[in-house]
Amino acid sequence: MQTPGWKKVRIKPHTGKLMFARGHVPTPHGRLSVDWRVGKTFTLSLKLPKGVSAAVELPALADVSKITVNGKRVQAARKGAHWMLSKEVAGSVKIELR
């Protein structure tokens, strides 16, 4: 999902057998950066340009007991093979599944 003008985007990593990935996308508002890693936890770091928010869906890994955004626990709903955060995020965020 990307709305006209890049005001809202969807971040939905498909990890497959990869242990990490990093990428950047130029938008009319500036550069959007994504960096994720799979280890004992799943960590996703986002840098969204000012004026851009993201709906985030994360892989539903085994034994996830909590999801945090910048260290604060957040609500998420399981949807198939993904966890969907209940609220959009903006700015620089670090999301962890533990």
Side-chain angles (χ1 to χ4, degrees), residues 46-54 69-70 87-93:
L46 295 173
K47 290 184 182 175
L48 301 162
K50 187 174 182 176
V52 177
S53 64
V69 174
N70 294 335
K87 294 185 180 180
E88 293 180 355
V89 297
S92 293
V93 296

Side-chain angles (χ1 to χ4, degrees), residues 5-36:
W6 286 84
K7 295 288 184 181
K8 292 183 182 182
V9 298
R10 174 178 289 139
I11 306 296
K12 185 178 181 180
H14 293 271
T15 59
K17 294 182 181 181
L18 295 175
M19 298 304 291
F20 66 92
R22 180 181 313 161
H24 310 282
V25 177
T27 76
H29 303 282
R31 186 162 106 166
L32 182 155
S33 299
V34 178
D35 182 336
W36 61 260

Side-chain angles (χ1 to χ4, degrees), residues 16 35 37 41 45 48 53 67-68 70 75 82 90:
D35 182 336
R37 299 185 181 283
T41 63
S45 297
L48 301 162
S53 64
I67 300 172
T68 62
N70 294 335
Q75 296 294 314
H82 288 84

Side-chain angles (χ1 to χ4, degrees), residues 78-95:
R78 182 139 184 198
K79 182 180 176 184
H82 288 84
W83 286 102
M84 186 170 203
L85 297 187
S86 61
K87 294 185 180 180
E88 293 180 355
V89 297
S92 293
V93 296
K94 181 178 179 181
I95 303 168

